[in-house]
Amino acid sequence: MSQQVDVQAEQTEQTIRESLNQALYEELERDDSVILYGEDVAEYGGLYKISEGLYEEFGDDRVFDTPLAETTLGGSAVGAALAGARPIVEIMYADFLPIAGDHLINYAAKMYFNYGDETSVPMVVRSMYGTGDGHGLHHGQSPEAWFMNVPGLKIVMPSTPKDYKGLLKSAIRDDDPVLFLENKMRYGESGPVPEEEYTIPLCETDIKRRGDDATVVAIGGMVYEALEAAERLSDRGVECEVVDPRTVTPLDTDPILESVEKTNILVTAQEAPTFGGFGSEVAAQVIDDAFFYLDAPVKRVGAPFTPIPFAESLEEAYVPTAEDIETAVIDAIET
Amino acid sequence: MSQQVDVQAEQTEQTIRESLNQALYEELERDDSVILYGEDVAEYGGLYKISEGLYEEFGDDRVFDTPLAETTLGGSAVGAALAGARPIVEIMYADFLPIAGDHLINYAAKMYFNYGDETSVPMVVRSMYGTGDGHGLHHGQSPEAWFMNVPGLKIVMPSTPKDYKGLLKSAIRDDDPVLFLENKMRYGESGPVPEEEYTIPLCETDIKRRGDDATVVAIGGMVYEALEAAERLSDRGVECEVVDPRTVTPLDTDPILESVEKTNILVTAQEAPTFGGFGSEVAAQVIDDAFFYLDAPVKRVGAPFTPIPFAESLEEAYVPTAEDIETAVIDAIET
Amino acid sequence: MGNASINHRELLEDLLLTRRFEEKVLEVYQDRGIRELPHSSIGQEAVGVGACYPLEDDDILVPSLRTRAVMLLRAPLDEIVAGMYGTRSGPSNGRTTEHHMGSSEYGILGTTGMIGAHLNPAAGAALGNKVLDNDRVTVAFFGDGASQRSEFHSALNFATVQELPVIFVIENNHWTEASPIEKLVAVDDLADLANHGLPTKVIDGQDVEEVVDATATAAQRARDGDGPTLLEAKTYRYRPHAETMPEHRDEATLEEWRDRDPIELYRSRLLEEDFVTEDEIEEIDRRLQTRIDEAFEAAETDELPDEETMYHVYKDTEIDHWKGVVR
Amino acid sequence: MGNASINHRELLEDLLLTRRFEEKVLEVYQDRGIRELPHSSIGQEAVGVGACYPLEDDDILVPSLRTRAVMLLRAPLDEIVAGMYGTRSGPSNGRTTEHHMGSSEYGILGTTGMIGAHLNPAAGAALGNKVLDNDRVTVAFFGDGASQRSEFHSALNFATVQELPVIFVIENNHWTEASPIEKLVAVDDLADLANHGLPTKVIDGQDVEEVVDATATAAQRARDGDGPTLLEAKTYRYRPHAETMPEHRDEATLEEWRDRDPIELYRSRLLEEDFVTEDEIEEIDRRLQTRIDEAFEAAETDELPDEETMYHVYKDTEIDHWKGVVR
Ligand SMILES: Cc1ncc(C[n+]2csc(CCOP(=O)(O)OP(=O)(O)O)c2C)c(N)n1
Ligand SMILES: Cc1ncc(C[n+]2csc(CCOP(=O)(O)OP(=O)(O)O)c2C)c(N)n1
Ligand SMILES: [Mg+2]
Ligand SMILES: [Mg+2]
């Protein structure tokens, strides 16, 4: 629930796309060592237009296009960050992150540990995930679990326009390497964003909705689904607490535990396949630290253990929705 | 508990190194489409001598050295497998797997799904993990969690010489892509291996020790630690059931659930950092499917959330041991 | 392949098939949408068509996102269109797209959405065929963009030192998505980037017979056991990178390339040299158009796949798709 | 750097320091073991020494596993040896090895155990310095093995198109672990693999002044804003890849290289040209030996780090290292 900004402050309605663009603009303006680069991020403004206008504003020393080479994006960002700059690189689709995986897992994540003089790796990798647009197997996977078991990385998956902006600004200022994951299905989602400058700290779990009957821990795009499920369940007399960790690693667990201690019911929700995913970690922590508060099995909502299918009918069956969360909560409560 | 081989059959004492070498030999001999390649696997016999003598026996069409390029190892194996060969590639240290990550996650894992004519990817990637030899940050990480959330891959992590041999032979014959992870700290470990030819099926959880008081699910090298812990606990009157899934994905969960239903206590053990690891998935499944059988919090044993440190004192503090498992079991029982 | 052995009409028909197909895709997409976002190959047809021409039916093709000709010359039209619609008659019954379909039956190596990720697998397929001791050649197509990927280097090196029967064909259309190639590399010919000791050749990608010849020579070399070849075909696409993206390229340059349209060039040459008559071409065109129209009609009425279709992830182990192994 | 500006004695001393140090490592390792497995640079000292010589103190060095000279010329001896022993006075207090240590203070970019993974980070460091608008040059060292990695291609291309102030130095010692380079690439000069439009030069890695000159020219080019250079220094290692591995290379070839020992070559040249006397060299040697011996003695009695040292993973967020964030 911590926000750096006065809740009474003026807010305007903005899309996630706009709030991200503004965050980039403000940070490029604030700090000369911030640079933004990637494939078609400059002249074209980014495939999804998140960086539109920034090249024109800051010039090609600060915002530039690169060859098609994700190893270069990941690798060069590590070097630039170690040298003292604050690179933001866009690796277009998160599905491509494994191409830069060695630099993320073995380089970026380990250099603060490796150096002895407080040198760290203040880089941000922006990348898109999100299923539901018929892009098929390789343009929509949720990659967080591939990098969750990597000490040294931070993984941020915001949900609302306000969180996206505040968290991206914090990620850029953060001294550690941050994987900043944007849900491409939600870029058009709009919501109130403070007019005044603000940041939202990384590694702080937020409660998006209060409720006493069940805890739903949802990440990224699934927060909207969880909120929708909560509304429907409310009609049936079940009040869900929707918990949004926002940062996946390092995870701020206490608010999750506190919520479960109150509701005694836990459901997790993610877009990635359930097996080996974020929800499993949340469940495992709760079963260790809040075992005696749990009244029912923990239900995890996620995709089935298959690649993302292309056909519309399959994709629909694949992507987890509010309905799945609703069913999981009812299941847990009725056990 | 399933073994393809008559328990009465003749057995000889062999090290894991020997049993792996034999498995490779037998499969290269059995099937002309099996090939083995990697960095220094042929003339030198593999950095840890697992493939010693095979190049001499089968010639450089079947066993050959390659340039230093893990993307080529991963990528070419996918292509060779799709073309109908059965490539085994050695990616020396599992820490290097992210270099081939795109080919494993996005190519190998998805081609059976992608093809419509039953073409699949019968490749095996052999790779070493295992901490404790002072090799530092990048030569001993346990990579299973990086690939657990990838539908389509199989991940095999054997423990005993007999399992190593039987499972490697099955992996080579398997039609799906298999990540075969070898614990380099255990190559010298010896145990009985049947003299007759045998295989051990993938995706079958094995019970390594029977016990009624607590279930310890351990993978790879940690199975030995779990067995040691079980011996010590037995002296204190606590009988542990040591469960060895052997295959991490797809996981054979039922024997785990059955064990917990009997013992009502679960501890998991892995070498990788606990957060986001294999143990979390096991805990999450148990908390969903055997919730009402659990008497106590699930304790997960693993490394702390740091890179592998170099100094001896740090490495010792880092690697999970029998003692940690013992403590975890006592903790759980006494809760 | 000497000119003598080229069946000019057949080659023209291959070109026309690809062009008419791509035109139909655009028409339908603009009219009512197609589930698979079109990445049109119009303008570059001669590269795929020419390279496929001298090959054997069981040679392995590894197309880029844009090598539509490979699909059209190898797979049934109905399946291709169904693949774009994501219906049950498509490749893998709708699990995957037409862009990345793979089929051992058609000799098409499956690819992924990662540009350039297929270069090492292509070398690997060649390795596989060498091991299996057949005389198949593998041909990989990829763009100027893919040539910037790290892998370009390791795939070529591996193929060269292992003397693999593989041909690498750069479809240099001078643009990597929205960026011109001049901004992304500092050399004129991409073939020069690859100095690994394998033969390289820059060819005119608008001249279908030049592509046929170069590929035929490379294929012979591969079959003779002499290893890989790299071809760089200079070409251009008439459409934006994908149909959702605006056109922002220089109109004059586009016009220059249009003046050397690969289909028009070949058509007029064949007419001039009396290999074919206007009437014959019209007849071919009509026939092609009918086949294409029928394929689209079939796809429009084809059904969507059932959920069960999706659970096709492991060949050797049955699993319960939410958790683990079925016992 | 004209010959005039080389301080020959200093350069000889740098060579001797590296050689004596590596000899000591071997001696101690064979006698009683060292926690960090030695990968000896004996025989190739002139590459690292020569390349470092013309640089400024704040230029960024990115060593390979084997570029011992970089460490010795930049970091305190005590810290280096402690780094090999894994004691608390080592780099990052024992968390990491000497092989991969990084330090902004010493201008050494940290590396990983992945051969060749530092090429793009080196380009990135140059990018960072360009953005920060200082005139630092980055110099990356890597072996023939690393030149086979995919990344070699993308790092050079990126550095070239971005005109980054970076120098890539191949330490071609003709062996990639246990495999000879002839088996792994099909060209004679590795510099030829990299045809990206940047200047490349093959140099004699046994001739320290040739290395100095080539690096000086490249550094000037970088500082002038003209972009990267690739140098390939031909050299050889006298020891097996690592001290645990057997020697299996041809003895005659090894002898040929020993005949052109970089330290001996330079030493005799300086003696011949009267830049230095035997006595002076002996005195330098004695001084170096004492320093080295003292560093090893210090490490032998240095303490191991406390467990707390390990929990140094995030700079900006405190976490409970077993589970999550500390609140
Ligand atoms: C690894 C990877 N990086 C980026 C992309 C996004 N992308 C798709 S097509 C494309 C351009 C490819 O250019 P080129 O290889 O020249 O092929 P062309 O589209 O011109 O046929 C890019 C950048 C991708 N799909 N995969
Ligand atoms: C990515 C990667 N692959 C393989 C290895 C194992 N390995 C360590 S050193 C080495 C050889 C490196 O050869 P080269 O680059 O020529 O350097 P040299 O040892 O000759 O100095 C290999 C294969 C590694 N550490 N990293
Ligand atoms: Mg292109
Ligand atoms: Mg070498």
Side-chain angles (χ1 to χ4, degrees):
Chain A
M1 281 310 263
S2 83
Q3 269 111 20
Q4 300 294 73
V5 55
D6 180 356
V7 279
Q8 306 304 330
E10 293 291 327
Q11 314 226 12
T12 45
E13 197 72 8
Q14 263 189 0
T15 61
I16 289 171
R17 176 178 282 109
E18 288 162 349
S19 83
L20 284 172
N21 185 270
Q22 253 192 26
L24 292 170
Y25 182 96
E26 290 174 15
E27 294 305 302
L28 280 160
E29 176 148 278
R30 190 186 55 80
D31 180 350
D32 274 355
S33 73
V34 174
I35 53 175
L36 170 67
Y37 61 103
E39 296 159 18
D40 288 331
V41 298
E43 287 196 62
Y44 189 75
L47 193 59
Y48 284 68
K49 299 293 179 188
I50 303 303
S51 46
E52 187 147 50
L54 301 176
Y55 161 77
E56 289 78 2
E57 186 66 29
F58 297 99
D60 69 359
D61 282 346
R62 305 280 308 285
V63 179
F64 58 91
D65 293 321
T66 63
L68 198 169
E70 285 75 15
T71 32
T72 288
L73 293 177
S76 67
V78 177
L82 285 172
R86 290 191 171 264
I88 309 165
V89 291
E90 177 177 303
I91 293 193
M92 215 179 261
Y93 291 91
D95 312 72
F96 310 166
L97 289 172
I99 303 173
D102 178 48
H103 287 114
L104 295 171
I105 293 173
N106 288 316
Y107 225 126
K110 294 179 172 54
M111 281 299 120
Y112 178 61
F113 185 91
N114 186 65
Y115 276 64
D117 59 3
E118 293 300 296
T119 302
S120 67
V121 187
M123 69 188 259
V124 177
V125 176
R126 292 180 42 237
S127 201
M128 290 184 304
Y129 72 101
T131 315
D133 48 11
H135 277 19
L137 292 70
H138 298 112
H139 284 67
Q141 296 171 89
S142 294
E144 69 278 3
W146 306 340
F147 298 99
M148 253 170 56
N149 196 227
V150 181
L153 283 186
K154 288 176 175 171
I155 306 176
V156 178
M157 296 179 79
S159 55
T160 65
K162 178 175 164 186
D163 283 357
Y164 265 104
K165 181 174 177 190
L167 289 166
L168 180 52
K169 286 168 65 84
S170 291
I172 296 168
R173 299 181 193 185
D174 197 273
D175 284 332
D176 298 309
V178 180
L179 206 51
F180 189 89
L181 300 174
E182 305 171 6
N183 191 310
K184 67 177 153 59
M185 301 301 297
R186 309 281 177 177
Y187 277 143
E189 210 79 60
S190 66
V193 175
E195 282 181 8
E196 297 246 312
E197 219 225 313
Y198 71 101
T199 59
I200 293 177
L202 305 189
C203 306
E204 282 200 14
T205 293
D206 189 39
I207 310 292
K208 284 288 190 295
R209 182 187 195 281
R210 291 280 174 195
D212 288 337
D213 301 328
T215 298
V216 179
V217 177
I219 44 168
M222 291 304 285
V223 171
Y224 285 108
E225 301 298 320
L227 289 169
E228 193 186 320
E231 286 312 305
R232 295 197 207 173
L233 285 161
S234 181
D235 294 344
R236 299 167 69 165
V238 177
E239 296 303 334
C240 290
E241 185 138 305
V242 176
V243 180
D244 179 1
R246 301 192 293 203
T247 299
V248 165
T249 331
L251 179 65
D252 177 17
T253 313
D254 284 352
I256 299 173
L257 297 175
E258 281 157 26
S259 179
V260 173
E261 285 166 14
K262 179 177 69 175
T263 66
N264 313 119
I265 296 284
L266 173 64
V267 165
T268 66
Q270 66 193 25
E271 273 190 36
T274 308
F275 186 92
F278 175 69
S280 305
E281 177 59 32
V282 171
Q285 295 210 17
V286 166
I287 198 60
D288 186 0
D289 288 331
F291 178 76
F292 295 105
Y293 292 94
L294 264 185
D295 280 352
V298 175
K299 296 290 167 192
R300 290 166 294 150
V301 173
F305 205 58
T306 84
I308 301 175
F310 171 58
E312 202 174 342
S313 53
L314 301 183
E315 199 184 48
E316 266 173 39
Y318 182 86
V319 193
T321 60
E323 232 179 290
D324 298 319
I325 297 172
E326 199 184 342
T327 310
V329 172
I330 298 290
D331 267 16
I333 285 178
E334 290 180 353
T335 321
Chain B
M1 280 312 265
S2 82
Q3 269 110 20
Q4 301 293 75
V5 57
D6 180 356
V7 281
Q8 306 304 331
E10 292 292 327
Q11 314 227 12
T12 46
E13 197 74 5
Q14 263 188 2
T15 61
I16 289 172
R17 176 177 283 110
E18 288 161 349
S19 82
L20 284 172
N21 185 268
Q22 253 191 26
L24 292 170
Y25 182 96
E26 290 174 14
E27 294 305 302
L28 279 160
E29 176 147 278
R30 190 187 55 81
D31 180 351
D32 275 355
S33 72
V34 174
I35 53 176
L36 169 68
Y37 61 103
E39 296 159 18
D40 287 331
V41 299
E43 287 196 63
Y44 189 74
L47 192 60
Y48 284 68
K49 298 293 179 187
I50 303 303
S51 46
E52 186 146 53
L54 301 176
Y55 160 78
E56 290 77 3
E57 186 67 29
F58 298 99
D60 69 359
D61 283 345
R62 306 279 308 284
V63 179
F64 58 92
D65 293 321
T66 63
L68 198 169
E70 285 76 14
T71 32
T72 287
L73 293 177
S76 68
V78 177
L82 286 172
R86 290 191 172 266
I88 309 165
V89 291
E90 178 178 303
I91 293 193
M92 217 179 263
Y93 291 91
D95 312 73
F96 310 165
L97 289 172
I99 303 174
D102 178 47
H103 287 114
L104 296 172
I105 293 173
N106 289 316
Y107 225 126
K110 294 179 173 54
M111 281 299 119
Y112 179 61
F113 184 91
N114 186 65
Y115 277 64
D117 59 2
E118 294 301 296
T119 302
S120 68
V121 186
M123 68 188 260
V124 177
V125 177
R126 290 180 43 236
S127 202
M128 291 183 304
Y129 72 101
T131 315
D133 48 11
H135 278 18
L137 292 69
H138 297 111
H139 285 68
Q141 297 172 87
S142 294
E144 69 278 3
W146 306 340
F147 298 99
M148 253 170 56
N149 196 227
V150 181
L153 282 186
K154 289 177 175 169
I155 306 176
V156 178
M157 295 178 79
S159 56
T160 65
K162 178 174 164 186
D163 283 358
Y164 265 104
K165 181 174 177 190
L167 289 165
L168 179 53
K169 286 169 65 85
S170 291
I172 295 168
R173 298 180 193 187
D174 197 274
D175 284 332
D176 298 309
V178 179
L179 205 52
F180 189 89
L181 301 174
E182 305 171 6
N183 192 309
K184 67 176 154 54
M185 302 301 297
R186 308 282 176 177
Y187 278 143
E189 210 79 60
S190 66
V193 175
E195 283 182 7
E196 297 247 311
E197 219 225 315
Y198 70 100
T199 58
I200 294 177
L202 306 189
C203 306
E204 282 199 14
T205 292
D206 189 40
I207 311 292
K208 284 287 189 294
R209 183 187 195 281
R210 293 279 173 196
D212 289 337
D213 301 328
T215 299
V216 179
V217 176
I219 44 168
M222 292 303 284
V223 171
Y224 284 108
E225 300 298 320
L227 289 169
E228 192 186 323
E231 286 311 306
R232 296 199 208 172
L233 285 160
S234 181
D235 294 345
R236 298 167 67 165
V238 177
E239 295 304 334
C240 290
E241 186 139 305
V242 176
V243 179
D244 178 2
R246 301 193 293 203
T247 298
V248 165
T249 332
L251 179 65
D252 177 18
T253 313
D254 284 353
I256 298 174
L257 297 174
E258 282 157 25
S259 180
V260 173
E261 285 166 16
K262 179 177 69 173
T263 66
N264 313 119
I265 296 283
L266 173 64
V267 165
T268 67
Q270 66 192 25
E271 272 190 38
T274 308
F275 186 92
F278 175 70
S280 305
E281 177 59 32
V282 171
Q285 295 209 17
V286 167
I287 197 62
D288 186 359
D289 288 331
F291 178 75
F292 295 105
Y293 293 93
L294 264 185
D295 281 351
V298 174
K299 296 290 166 193
R300 289 166 295 149
V301 172
F305 204 58
T306 83
I308 301 175
F310 170 59
E312 201 173 345
S313 52
L314 301 182
E315 199 183 48
E316 266 174 37
Y318 182 87
V319 194
T321 60
E323 231 180 291
D324 298 319
I325 297 171
E326 200 184 342
T327 310
V329 171
I330 298 291
D331 266 16
I333 286 178
E334 290 180 353
T335 319
Chain C
M1 181 163 287
N3 245 353
S5 54
I6 293 181
N7 179 329
H8 306 284
R9 261 174 74 161
E10 216 176 281
L11 196 50
L12 179 65
E13 182 165 339
D14 290 350
L15 284 171
L16 283 169
L17 168 67
T18 311
R19 173 66 54 92
R20 295 296 168 255
F21 183 86
E22 290 289 60
E23 285 169 349
K24 176 78 178 189
V25 168
L26 286 182
E27 182 198 313
V28 175
Y29 180 78
Q30 282 157 9
D31 182 47
R32 52 193 183 280
I34 295 181
R35 187 163 171 85
E36 182 184 72
L37 175 60
H39 290 71
S40 177
S41 73
I42 295 190
Q44 352 185 144
E45 295 93 339
V47 184
V49 167
C52 287
Y53 192 79
L55 301 177
E56 302 298 328
D57 281 350
D58 63 354
D59 286 334
I60 309 284
L61 303 176
V62 197
S64 81
L65 182 72
R66 212 177 292 282
T67 327
R68 201 73 51 245
V70 164
M71 302 307 185
L72 293 167
L73 297 175
R74 283 288 176 92
L77 259 186
D78 278 6
E79 191 172 332
I80 292 172
V81 183
M84 293 176 157
Y85 279 64
T87 56
R88 61 172 59 179
S89 309
S92 70
N93 308 109
R95 281 192 299 274
T96 193
T97 57
E98 169 271 342
H99 279 147
H100 302 301
M101 66 180 281
S103 162
S104 295
E105 196 187 334
Y106 312 141
I108 298 169
L109 201 84
T111 55
T112 75
M114 286 66 190
I115 296 292
H118 60 322
L119 298 175
N120 277 298
L127 170 66
N129 288 320
K130 195 175 154 193
V131 169
L132 298 174
D133 205 17
N134 57 45
D135 70 346
R136 291 184 183 164
V137 170
T138 300
V139 185
F141 299 87
F142 54 105
D144 41 281
S147 315
Q148 299 154 34
R149 282 273 316 261
S150 302
E151 292 203 35
F152 181 57
H153 173 65
S154 60
L156 288 177
N157 185 44
F158 183 62
T160 307
V161 294
Q162 288 291 326
E163 300 186 323
L164 299 177
V166 56
I167 308 173
F168 296 98
V169 182
I170 310 182
E171 302 160 317
N172 181 359
N173 65 7
H174 300 78
W175 283 83
T176 298
E177 221 173 65
S179 293
I181 183 71
E182 306 85 59
K183 198 160 96 178
L184 308 176
V185 300
V187 296
D188 290 330
D189 293 328
L190 300 173
D192 287 347
L193 293 176
N195 212 344
H196 290 84
L198 82 173
T200 64
K201 192 168 185 189
V202 178
I203 57 177
D204 179 1
Q206 308 307 92
D207 181 341
V208 69
E209 291 203 359
E210 187 169 331
V211 180
V212 172
D213 284 344
T215 315
T217 307
Q220 194 52 54
R221 185 179 140 80
R223 274 188 246 280
D224 289 346
D226 294 334
T229 301
L230 173 72
L231 303 176
E232 177 188 358
K234 307 275 194 189
T235 186
Y236 214 74
R237 56 171 159 74
Y238 295 173
R239 300 290 311 165
H241 173 73
E243 287 305 310
T244 39
M245 294 175 75
E247 183 56 82
H248 53 91
R249 294 171 303 168
D250 174 47
E251 180 56 36
T253 312
L254 196 44
E255 253 335 296
E256 275 170 39
W257 282 93
R258 277 215 192 87
D259 286 345
R260 298 199 60 252
D261 180 81
I263 283 110
E264 207 33 55
L265 276 183
Y266 199 52
R267 195 186 117 97
S268 49
R269 201 199 113 196
L270 295 200
L271 286 172
E272 226 162 78
E273 299 183 21
D274 287 331
F275 282 121
V276 70
T277 66
E278 288 272 14
D279 282 354
E280 282 167 332
I281 294 179
E282 251 170 54
E283 200 266 305
I284 294 172
D285 240 346
R286 246 194 322 269
R287 197 158 31 79
L288 290 172
Q289 200 62 58
T290 309
R291 275 183 62 209
I292 292 167
D293 290 346
E294 281 168 6
F296 275 81
E297 274 159 36
E300 303 250 358
T301 57
D302 193 26
E303 278 173 39
L304 293 179
D306 291 337
E307 184 179 339
E308 274 310 300
T309 306
M310 178 162 65
Y311 303 122
H312 187 93
V313 181
Y314 294 96
K315 184 168 179 184
D316 252 3
T317 306
E318 278 204 30
I319 75 162
D320 155 353
H321 293 273
W322 293 85
K323 294 201 203 102
V325 178
V326 167
R327 307 193 54 83
Chain D
M1 180 164 287
N3 244 353
S5 54
I6 293 181
N7 180 328
H8 306 283
R9 262 175 72 162
E10 216 176 282
L11 197 50
L12 180 65
E13 181 164 340
D14 290 350
L15 284 172
L16 284 169
L17 168 67
T18 311
R19 173 65 53 92
R20 295 296 168 255
F21 183 85
E22 290 288 60
E23 286 169 348
K24 176 78 178 187
V25 169
L26 287 183
E27 181 197 314
V28 176
Y29 181 78
Q30 283 157 7
D31 183 47
R32 52 194 183 277
I34 295 182
R35 186 161 171 84
E36 182 183 71
L37 174 60
H39 291 70
S40 176
S41 73
I42 296 189
Q44 359 186 137
E45 296 93 337
V47 184
V49 166
C52 288
Y53 192 80
L55 300 177
E56 302 297 327
D57 281 349
D58 63 354
D59 287 333
I60 309 285
L61 303 176
V62 197
S64 82
L65 183 71
R66 211 176 294 282
T67 327
R68 202 73 51 243
V70 163
M71 303 307 187
L72 294 167
L73 298 174
R74 283 289 177 91
L77 260 185
D78 278 5
E79 190 171 333
I80 292 172
V81 183
M84 293 175 156
Y85 279 64
T87 56
R88 61 172 59 179
S89 310
S92 69
N93 308 109
R95 281 192 300 274
T96 194
T97 58
E98 171 270 344
H99 279 146
H100 303 301
M101 66 180 281
S103 162
S104 295
E105 197 187 334
Y106 312 142
I108 298 169
L109 202 84
T111 55
T112 74
M114 286 66 188
I115 295 292
H118 60 322
L119 298 175
N120 277 298
L127 171 66
N129 288 321
K130 195 176 154 192
V131 168
L132 298 174
D133 206 17
N134 58 43
D135 71 347
R136 290 184 184 164
V137 170
T138 300
V139 184
F141 299 87
F142 53 104
D144 41 282
S147 315
Q148 299 153 33
R149 281 274 316 260
S150 302
E151 292 202 33
F152 180 58
H153 173 64
S154 59
L156 288 177
N157 185 44
F158 184 63
T160 307
V161 295
Q162 288 291 326
E163 298 185 325
L164 299 177
V166 56
I167 307 173
F168 296 97
V169 182
I170 310 181
E171 301 161 317
N172 181 359
N173 65 7
H174 301 78
W175 284 83
T176 298
E177 222 174 65
S179 294
I181 184 71
E182 308 83 61
K183 198 161 95 177
L184 308 176
V185 300
V187 296
D188 290 330
D189 293 328
L190 300 173
D192 288 346
L193 293 176
N195 211 344
H196 290 83
L198 82 173
T200 64
K201 192 169 187 190
V202 178
I203 56 177
D204 178 1
Q206 308 307 91
D207 181 341
V208 69
E209 291 203 359
E210 187 169 331
V211 180
V212 172
D213 284 344
T215 315
T217 306
Q220 194 52 55
R221 183 180 142 80
R223 274 189 245 281
D224 289 346
D226 294 334
T229 301
L230 173 73
L231 304 176
E232 177 188 358
K234 307 274 194 189
T235 185
Y236 214 75
R237 55 171 160 74
Y238 295 173
R239 300 290 309 166
H241 172 73
E243 287 306 311
T244 39
M245 294 176 76
E247 183 56 81
H248 53 90
R249 294 171 303 168
D250 174 47
E251 180 57 35
T253 313
L254 196 44
E255 254 333 295
E256 276 171 37
W257 282 94
R258 278 215 191 87
D259 286 345
R260 298 197 61 250
D261 181 82
I263 283 109
E264 207 33 55
L265 276 183
Y266 199 53
R267 196 186 116 95
S268 48
R269 204 199 111 194
L270 294 200
L271 285 172
E272 226 161 80
E273 299 184 20
D274 287 332
F275 282 121
V276 71
T277 66
E278 289 271 14
D279 282 354
E280 283 168 331
I281 295 178
E282 250 170 56
E283 200 267 306
I284 292 172
D285 241 347
R286 246 194 320 271
R287 197 159 29 79
L288 289 172
Q289 200 62 58
T290 310
R291 276 183 59 209
I292 291 167
D293 290 346
E294 281 169 5
F296 275 81
E297 275 159 35
E300 304 249 355
T301 56
D302 193 27
E303 279 173 37
L304 293 179
D306 291 338
E307 184 178 340
E308 273 311 301
T309 306
M310 178 163 64
Y311 303 122
H312 186 93
V313 182
Y314 294 97
K315 184 168 179 185
D316 251 4
T317 306
E318 278 204 30
I319 75 162
D320 155 352
H321 292 274
W322 293 84
K323 297 205 201 96
V325 179
V326 167
R327 307 192 53 84

